Amino acid sequence: LLLAQGFGARALSSDVPLVVAGPCSLTSACSGRMERGRGGKVLGPKAGSEGEVDGRPLAVRKRSSEGDGGSGEPSQQRHGRGAATPTGEEKRAAAGRGATPRRAKKKAGGQAAEGGVFASLQKLKEVPVEDRRKLFVQKMRECKTVFDFSTSKAEGEKEGKRQTLLELVEYANSTPGCFDEASLPVAIDMVAANTFRALVKRERSPADILDPEDDSPGFDEAWPHLEVVYDLFLRIVIDKQGNANAAIKALNRQFLMKMLDLFESDDPRERESLKTILNKSYTRFATLRTGIRRGIHHVCLKAVHENGSATGISELLEVLARIIAGFSVPLKPEHRELFFRALLPLHKLEQLGLFHTQLVDCLKKSVEKDADFAQAVVAVLLRFWPVTVASKQILFLSELEGMLSDMPQAQLPKVQDAVARRLAECVSCPNSDVAERALSLCKNSRVTKLVAQHCREQYPVVISALYGNATAHWASPVHKLTFEVLKLLMETDPELFDHSSAKHRKEAGEAELRDAERKRRWAALQQLYDRKRARSAARAQGQRGGGPLAAGGGEMRAQPSARSRARSTTSLGPEGAGAPSVLCPAAELPLQGGRYGIIACWDSSCAEMELGLQALVVDRSGKIVGAVHDRNALAMQAAVWRGGGGGGG
């Protein structure tokens, strides 16, 4: 076996142990030392060792020793590898560097394993020019591998991938047209594999979302890779020498929708990169413009009607503002639908403050294209007015001021009454911030003239709100602004101001009279209630003190109430001849004393009934022959004496 592998006689005769180098375990390899026979012949494995592993013979090689390489003999070859055994000069050079050949190989292998497959690839600058395109595509395929940055594993491979991505970006910058029909699909697939993922949302309460000081965004741990991937994606989009048809084919509708979904990421750096890429894509690829507009429309509808999330809306509205600026006049039905169905409903979101500036920019550009949109914006503001949210009211007032300034005068009569009423409510708002913003709007000279000219019917409403602020509002800054606005209105139209002031004083006097009348009626109702409550308490006290049926001596007479006396028209005589069928407590019943007492009231003409504890039926001799329980009308009617007989009850 050794002779077949090319070992010389000197190797067999030298007094150096031979070590196994083959497909076997370390234990088996260490046990596979060979023995020498006489004359340098191989006798076989050492006693007690195995000569085969899994049915295959062991390959062996000679372990080099120090001072052994100066013989100048041919170097030994490994079995199946073809690698030359280090010579003496090589060993001495390695020893001069402070490492043996074995340690040098182990260190190089460790570095390759640390960088993974990325470290094993050559640099693009180190290969010939004709081979760079092939290596460029190969590296993009390798970069499809996605790592988990939530753990500290494979740090070397992560860094190796990042360096590879940086090399790809550098090559794309220095090589225009590198994204051809063959390499572009691979590049788009690599971008999709790295970016299209399940987004990790940071848990935020509604208070954190609406808090303007909460500026701690959720940064993505994979951003070291994502940043370079987005940079490479931008190079694909702006490469004018690249294949545009292949790019349009790769950036299909499904890809665009997934890219727009990435705008929900909590990382602002990623949203900014996506905004730049989307803007450049809309500018370069005219075929994709309709799909991008529809995608933005879909995202806005999703935010309004599904999840209510405002993350990424500001970046999309920035892109949309540039798109609207390029619309041709007159607007197409698709553009009008985008305005009415996507932009205006965004006012309903609770997180309006996160994108209100960008939304107003889009609305103003739309109004520049079609002036009729201003009336629609004002109508939506009045419809969705956030009465209970002061921060949104301030935003609405700012937007309302801008729209009133841009609105044509011919459209003001359609919204003037509603605007004046809403303005009066905001001026008298208890929240000082809202009141100050409304008063600042009133100080706008253009708005003041518009209100004085077109809102003459509702002008007194505004004056009344201002007078109310001057006397009843709790904030001193509001008082100061109120007097300034009153002075401005007085100077703008003195006659209208005097007329409105007189009307306000008249209405204030009538309001005082109505208030006094209301208080008087309320006092009368309170008095009736107290009187009824006192009677009820006295009646309850009488029932607790002693019931109508007494077991004690003496005769008892019925003490009717005023209501019972009013209902009683006839009495039951002691003999009962010709007596009516009404038992009245006004009659005195000649019962034997010391035995019982009775009190009852019954009027067959009324639905009401007042009975005592119980009614007793007695005969002429005074013997109790029956009883009727309380509030049993049928039994009471049967027990009432009806006359006409000798022994009737």
Side-chain angles (χ1 to χ4, degrees), residues 81-94:
R81 294 181 180 265
T85 304
T87 61
E89 296 179 359
E90 293 175 349
K91 290 185 289 184
R92 284 192 294 270

Side-chain angles (χ1 to χ4, degrees), residues 239-250:
D239 186 10
K240 296 182 179 181
Q241 299 183 13
N243 194 326
N245 294 329
I248 293 173
K249 185 178 179 180

Side-chain angles (χ1 to χ4, degrees), residues 270-300:
E270 182 174 6
R271 298 199 302 268
E272 194 67 24
S273 300
L274 287 168
K275 181 187 70 175
T276 305
I277 293 171
L278 187 63
N279 190 25
K280 297 294 183 180
S281 300
Y282 188 89
T283 303
R284 184 186 176 197
F285 305 114
T287 311
L288 301 177
R289 293 177 182 178
T290 302
I292 292 175
R293 289 196 302 268
R294 291 179 180 177
I296 296 176
H297 188 175
H298 172 75
V299 172
C300 294

